[in-house]
């Protein structure tokens, strides 16, 4: 396995949003960038972009966000529609260069914030790490432990091998084994290589170890022929970002004030506790927390904090009480994470060839 290099020098390609912020933050470079993209899209040269002329930009933004192609999913198509509406405000038929620049800037900054919070490393899994793991001293002892964990009275050789493959990680040189492409092109051919034993009969530990090693070696050689590109991300939530925010009163007040402006107040200026989650969602990026609903373990931590302070009782609070409650919730989240940090890892196979990726951020010859 190797990390894909942007420069060809062997360094890892870490997608963390920094290149996007550099682009948007440099007014001259970004203006030139927009000028080029606008001219590229404005085919009739009328100084405005029609809906049809905007579609390539919207498709590029979707690819940059990691969405499947338009037309392949109702959910992703809804996002594509929302991106288009950002440009047209839901009613315009034409978009000026100024409007195009403003909306593109907002979208790119949002993308950068997401990548900063959840960096992605592009890995090329080519079988080398897997072969090294198979030949290593820990392979067989770990396989024995795996067998003890996954075996069952009626467990077949096929079941055991599939479950054992699922337990291998990208660090050991295995792409996500449940990915449909990996199943069809890597896992199934590997299983078919088990010609010496019936895959659908129960299996002993010794037979499992011998056959799994053959399958793993087949997978490794298959990966040498067909390397798999994997987008890998990992986050450790240990409360340190929350602690940093809580220890800086100026930044905390600024963050809370900005977030509270987004929720309604009653005639007396009070806020309902039902908006605590809304405000916490707005504060989350600054506090180094994931969006609500994105990480199940984190949602439980948040819920425990809300329960501790009766935050779901729907009562009305004065603004200072509302801020105090939210600060206490953040404190509870911090303490929980300090005691029990949460690590989240995700891997996704990149099915599109790198040459077919989004051109949205490709530099122009002028830049």
């Amino acid at each position: 396995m190797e990390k894909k290099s942007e420069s060809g020098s062997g360094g890892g390609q870490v997608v963390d949003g920094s290149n996007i912020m550099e682009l948007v933050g440099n007014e001259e470079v970004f203006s030139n960038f927009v000028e080029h993209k606008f001219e590229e899209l404005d085919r009739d040269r009328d100084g405005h972009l029609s809906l049809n002329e905007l579609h390539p930009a919207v498709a590029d933004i979707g690819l940059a966000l990691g969405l499947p192609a338009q037309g392949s999913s109702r959910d992703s198509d809804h996002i594509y529609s929302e991106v288009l509406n950002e440009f047209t405000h839901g009613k315009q038929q034409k978009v000026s260069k100024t409007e195009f620049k403003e909306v593109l800037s907002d979208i790119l900054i949002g993308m950068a914030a997401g990548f900063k919070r959840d960096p992605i490393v592009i890995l090329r899994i080519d079988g080398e790490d897997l072969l090294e793991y198979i030949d290593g001293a820990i392979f067989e002892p770990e396989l024995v432990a795996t067998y003890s964990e996954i075996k069952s009275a009626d467990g077949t050789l096929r079941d055991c091998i599939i479950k054992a493959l699922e337990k291998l990680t990208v660090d050991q040189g295995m792409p996500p084994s449940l990915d449909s492409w990996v199943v069809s092109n890597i896992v199934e051919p590997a299983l078919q290589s088990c010609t010496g034993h019936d895959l659908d009969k129960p299996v002993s530990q010794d037979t499992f170890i011998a056959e799994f090693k053959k399958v793993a070696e087949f997978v490794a050689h298959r990966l040498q022929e067909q390397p798999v590109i994997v987008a890998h991300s990992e986050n450790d939530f240990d409360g340190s970002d929350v602690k940093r925010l809580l220890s800086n009163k100026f930044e905390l007040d600024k963050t809370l004030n900005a977030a509270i402006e987004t929720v309604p107040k009653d005639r007396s200026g009070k806020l309902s506790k039902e908006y605590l989650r809304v405000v916490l969602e707005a504060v989350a990026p600054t506090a180094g927390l994931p969006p609500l609903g994105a990480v199940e373990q984190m949602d439980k931590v948040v819920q425990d904090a809300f329960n501790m302070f009766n935050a779901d009782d729907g009562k009305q609070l004065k603004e200072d009480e509302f801020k105090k409650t939210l600060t206490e919730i953040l404190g509870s989240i911090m303490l929980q994470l300090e005691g029990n940090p949460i690590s989240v890892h995700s891997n996704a196979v990149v099915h599109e060839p790198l040459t077919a990726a989004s051109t949205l951020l490709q530099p122009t010859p002028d830049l």
Side-chain angles (χ1 to χ4, degrees):
M1 175 182 66
E2 64 176 311
K3 295 181 180 179
K4 292 297 292 181
S5 170
E6 293 182 284
S7 61
S9 62
Q13 180 182 343
V14 181
V15 183
D16 61 1
S18 56
N19 61 328
I20 300 177
M21 290 307 298
E22 286 178 12
L23 171 66
V24 179
N26 188 316
E27 177 60 29
E28 182 180 354
V29 172
F30 186 60
S31 294
N32 289 337
F33 173 82
V34 170
E35 182 78 27
H36 176 85
K37 293 298 178 185
F38 191 89
E39 289 181 3
E40 190 178 89
L41 296 168
D42 186 16
R43 294 181 178 177
D44 61 9
R45 298 293 183 262
D46 68 347
H48 290 78
L49 299 181
S50 66
L51 296 183
N52 285 337
E53 289 172 335
L54 275 169
H55 279 303
V58 172
D60 255 357
I61 290 169
L63 280 174
L65 290 170
L67 296 176
Q70 283 180 277
S72 60
S73 161
R74 181 181 299 177
D75 290 338
S76 61
D77 283 353
H78 174 71
I79 297 175
Y80 280 112
S81 177
E82 289 298 310
V83 172
L84 183 61
N85 285 339
E86 284 293 314
F87 285 108
T88 65
H89 306 294
K91 56 189 178 187
Q92 291 176 226
Q93 296 300 308
K94 295 274 190 177
V95 174
S96 70
K97 188 184 298 183
T98 300
E99 291 168 327
F100 178 73
K101 180 180 180 181
E102 289 175 353
V103 174
L104 187 59
S105 174
D106 289 343
I107 290 174
L108 292 178
I109 289 172
M111 287 169 56
F115 285 133
K116 181 178 181 181
R117 183 173 59 212
D118 196 10
I120 296 172
V121 179
I122 306 301
L123 305 173
R124 184 177 184 270
I125 299 182
D126 57 11
E128 297 302 321
D129 281 358
L130 185 55
L131 284 174
E132 185 178 330
Y133 173 65
I134 295 168
D135 293 337
I138 64 171
F139 176 73
E140 190 164 322
E142 288 191 352
L143 209 52
V144 170
T146 296
Y147 178 77
S148 299
E149 185 179 337
I150 64 178
K151 70 177 180 180
S152 61
D154 56 352
T156 65
L157 175 58
R158 179 190 301 273
D159 292 337
C160 288
I161 289 176
I162 289 174
K163 289 177 182 177
L165 286 174
E166 289 174 16
K167 289 187 173 295
L168 294 181
T169 67
V170 293
D171 290 332
Q172 294 161 327
M174 182 69 194
S177 65
L178 295 179
D179 177 87
S180 59
W181 189 93
V182 174
V183 169
S184 300
N185 293 276
I186 305 292
V187 175
E188 285 299 334
L191 288 171
Q192 291 169 13
S193 70
C194 289
T195 56
H197 290 270
D198 189 336
L199 288 171
D200 297 314
K201 287 187 176 180
V203 62
S204 68
Q205 175 179 293
D206 289 343
T207 300
F208 163 72
I209 291 174
E211 292 304 311
F212 183 80
K213 184 173 183 179
K214 293 178 187 176
V215 168
E217 288 174 339
F218 183 96
V219 168
H221 292 306
R222 190 82 169 185
L223 289 169
Q224 288 179 323
E225 298 169 1
Q226 289 185 289
V228 176
I229 308 301
V230 174
H232 171 74
S233 68
E234 54 184 86
N235 271 308
D236 296 314
F237 302 105
D238 58 6
S240 59
D241 287 334
V242 185
K243 186 173 185 177
R244 178 192 54 76
L245 178 61
L246 292 176
S247 65
N248 188 329
K249 188 176 185 306
F250 174 79
E251 185 178 0
L252 177 63
D253 288 342
K254 179 183 175 182
T255 302
L256 292 181
N257 288 336
I260 286 174
E261 287 180 3
T262 65
V263 299
K265 301 176 183 177
D266 66 12
R267 293 179 179 178
S268 62
K270 291 184 176 181
L271 302 97
S272 171
K273 280 186 175 181
E274 68 184 33
Y275 293 116
L276 282 167
R277 291 182 190 275
V278 176
V279 175
L280 179 60
E281 180 81 359
V283 171
T286 308
L289 301 174
L292 296 175
V295 179
E296 185 178 350
Q297 305 99 303
M298 282 298 307
D299 288 345
K300 184 179 184 305
V301 169
V302 171
Q303 187 58 56
D304 288 346
F306 269 64
N307 292 341
M308 181 178 296
F309 298 102
N310 299 315
D312 289 319
D313 61 15
K315 291 183 178 179
Q316 300 289 117
L317 297 176
K318 294 179 180 178
E319 185 172 316
D320 59 342
E321 295 173 330
F322 188 93
K323 289 180 182 178
K324 181 175 181 293
T325 301
L326 189 60
T327 301
E328 290 172 337
I329 289 172
L330 286 169
S332 173
I333 292 172
M334 178 193 73
L335 292 173
Q336 290 184 69
L337 293 176
E338 285 181 338
N340 296 287
I342 294 173
S343 295
V344 180
H345 303 258
S346 66
N347 299 288
V349 174
V350 180
H351 297 285
E352 293 292 333
L354 294 184
T355 54
S358 168
T359 61
L360 180 67
L361 297 178
Q362 287 185 2
T364 68
D366 299 324
L367 302 186

